[in-house]
Amino acid sequence: MKPEKLYPLQFEPILKERIWGGEKLKTLLNKPITSKITGESWELSTVEGDVSTVANGDLKGKSLMGLINETPNEILGTRVYERFGKQFPLLFKYLDAREDLSIQVHPNDKLAKERHNSFGKTEMWYVMQADTDSRIIVGFKEDSSKEEYLKHLHDNTLVSILDGVKAKAGDVFFLETGTVHAIGAGLVVAEIQQTSDITYRLYDFDRVDAQGNKRELHVDLALDAINYNKVDTQKKYDSKANTSNVVVDCPYFTTNLIPLEDKVQVSKSGETFTVYMCIEGSFEIEYNGFKHTYIKGDTVLVPAAINAFNLSGKASILEIYIS
């Protein structure tokens, strides 16, 4: 495929029912859900069994992996291809927590590679909507230990030593691997993470599914994955209009917030793809005769070969790439 055949790509959402899910992905983010317990919309994925397919334009129906295999430098970018090969290194989601998610932890790259032949799962959350008094769990209140953690887990008092933080729209939390965490009830978040579906579930509030079964816990696997120290996860950031304001900059991804109020010209080097997630309002991308409007809840992949385009409109946008 010639680079000039490429254009900003949208993908069919991959919808996931979850015991804790609800209906806000439809009412707030326009996702085509039919279930009252839809917890996740995977926007951009190459996880095995859940590979995104193009939803727009001449490439509609093609898989993201197919496009990468055909033109890796043009889709991923020269630096990303050199570092990751033909792997798409990130996974993008929207989540709706009608109930608390389980308390969980993700392994680092080393453990994930050894145990699951997978990337680890460093991730971030941007809170798009929060009910009154919604909260998240992020790490321990004070430095802890494996022994203290196991005692409280055994006594059903684990929550008492974990740090609960009230969350509101616009809050950002960055979770390095090893951070014990849970999204609380009443939150809708945009999630950016390494490409991984490895989660160790520590505690699930003794819930049962429609068949009366409890979900599997991974207590033993988690022991060596947990960071038992107190961590600082909340990110502060600027909101200067028509500017890419850095929110998270880590080895796995950079995320900026663009409060778009007019028109912005974007120039890229071709070294990395760029993803835009529309978290409020609407905006247009203009490129080489291509022009399309994106609304709240839309996610778009701009291939690395597209190195000059315009953003216009009134919107809040997350801009993600590999530094």
Side-chain angles (χ1 to χ4, degrees):
M1 186 195 338
K2 295 180 180 178
E4 57 267 26
K5 296 280 191 183
L6 291 172
Y7 53 89
L9 300 167
Q10 279 185 279
F11 296 83
E12 300 289 351
I14 301 169
L15 303 172
K16 301 282 189 178
E17 286 191 346
R18 298 292 188 242
I19 195 171
W20 41 262
E23 298 179 271
K24 287 182 182 176
L25 294 180
K26 179 179 182 179
T27 58
L28 293 182
L29 304 185
N30 305 293
K31 301 302 172 185
I33 70 173
T34 56
S35 161
K36 293 185 177 182
I37 56 165
T38 303
E40 302 182 22
S41 176
W42 290 23
E43 298 288 295
L44 195 44
S45 166
T46 55
V47 172
E48 187 175 354
D50 286 302
V51 177
S52 295
T53 57
V54 179
N56 67 317
D58 293 341
L59 298 173
K60 183 174 181 177
K62 281 190 167 282
S63 77
L64 177 54
M65 278 310 309
L67 294 176
I68 291 170
N69 285 330
E70 197 173 335
T71 52
N73 277 308
E74 289 77 5
I75 297 291
L76 297 172
T78 52
R79 187 173 63 240
V80 176
Y81 180 37
E82 183 178 326
R83 179 176 169 189
F84 294 102
K86 294 181 179 180
Q87 299 181 89
F88 193 76
L90 299 178
L91 173 59
F92 298 82
K93 303 177 182 177
Y94 294 112
L95 287 83
D96 167 24
R98 180 180 53 85
E99 297 180 1
D100 292 337
L101 272 68
S102 63
I103 296 172
Q104 55 193 242
V105 73
H106 305 304
N108 61 27
D109 283 344
K110 183 174 182 293
L111 274 180
K113 180 69 175 176
E114 289 172 357
R115 295 175 176 176
H116 314 284
N117 194 29
S118 169
F119 290 126
K121 191 175 174 183
T122 295
E123 61 187 338
M124 66 158 280
W125 301 327
Y126 180 96
V127 178
M128 298 179 67
Q129 186 269 329
D131 292 350
T132 304
D133 295 329
S134 292
R135 80 200 194 311
I136 64 166
I137 288 172
V138 276
F140 293 89
K141 288 179 180 175
E142 304 295 340
D143 289 355
S144 185
S145 65
K146 188 179 296 187
E147 293 72 27
E148 182 184 37
Y149 156 77
L150 285 171
K151 178 184 184 303
H152 283 278
L153 186 66
H154 180 265
D155 293 343
N156 254 10
T157 56
L158 178 59
V159 174
S160 70
I161 62 170
L162 299 178
D163 196 10
V165 179
K166 283 191 67 172
K168 64 183 185 303
D171 283 349
V172 171
F173 298 90
F174 175 62
L175 294 95
E176 296 186 87
T177 53
T179 304
V180 175
H181 63 273
I183 296 173
L187 294 174
V188 175
V189 306
E191 181 174 282
I192 297 131
Q193 58 161 97
Q194 291 176 267
T195 291
S196 171
D197 199 28
I198 308 300
T199 295
Y200 297 155
R201 192 178 296 119
L202 311 179
Y203 180 61
D204 199 28
F205 304 98
D206 296 319
R207 285 181 292 205
V208 295
D209 61 19
Q211 287 72 47
N213 300 314
K214 292 184 179 182
R215 295 194 294 173
E216 181 184 5
L217 301 180
H218 311 96
V219 175
D220 291 338
L221 283 172
L223 286 177
D224 293 334
I226 293 172
N227 176 5
Y228 294 96
N229 297 320
K230 180 179 173 62
V231 292
D232 183 14
T233 60
Q234 193 161 1
K235 291 291 185 179
K236 304 297 182 185
Y237 56 92
D238 293 328
S239 299
K240 186 178 178 182
N242 299 323
T243 299
S244 293
N245 301 275
V246 177
V247 180
V248 169
D249 186 15
C250 74
Y252 304 104
F253 54 84
T254 296
T255 299
N256 302 325
L257 174 72
I258 304 175
L260 187 65
E261 294 184 0
D262 192 8
K263 189 171 186 175
V264 174
Q265 292 183 318
V266 181
S267 296
K268 299 287 184 180
S269 65
E271 293 182 322
T272 175
F273 62 87
T274 305
V275 172
Y276 293 104
M277 303 179 83
C278 186
I279 53 178
E280 195 63 62
S282 65
F283 73 99
E284 288 184 341
I285 293 180
E286 300 174 64
Y287 163 73
N288 193 29
F290 173 95
K291 188 174 184 179
H292 189 76
T293 300
Y294 304 92
I295 62 174
K296 183 176 180 178
D298 283 347
T299 303
V300 55
L301 168 65
V302 179
I306 298 175
N307 53 25
F309 52 94
N310 293 325
L311 305 176
S312 61
K314 291 189 180 298
S316 291
I317 310 166
L318 295 180
E319 175 185 56
I320 306 100
Y321 51 86
I322 307 288
S323 294

